[in-house]
Amino acid sequence: MEQCCGTCKWHKNENISDGGVCVNGDSDYCADWTGYDDSCEEWEERDETM
């Protein structure tokens, strides 16, 4: 799995066409708009069972 914002459990879609928002308090990008292909050191795999 590619480690990018689009596959991270902390990337929340805000119904915008170009990305979402990072909600990981440990990330330098917390509360920032993030694109699908952006990435950071705090990436965690999304749990698709939720």
Side-chain angles (χ1 to χ4, degrees), residues 1 16-17 33:
M1 174 176 285
I16 58 172
S17 62
W33 294 110

Side-chain angles (χ1 to χ4, degrees), residues 5 21-24 26-34 39-41:
C5 288
V21 175
C22 178
V23 295
N24 183 344
D26 293 330
S27 173
D28 290 340
Y29 303 101
C30 184
D32 285 346
W33 294 110
T34 51
S39 64
C40 79
E41 298 283 325

Side-chain angles (χ1 to χ4, degrees), residues 3-18:
Q3 293 187 1
C4 64
C5 288
T7 62
C8 182
K9 77 176 192 176
W10 300 107
H11 187 248
K12 301 300 179 190
N13 187 311
E14 294 294 321
N15 294 324
I16 58 172
S17 62
D18 60 345

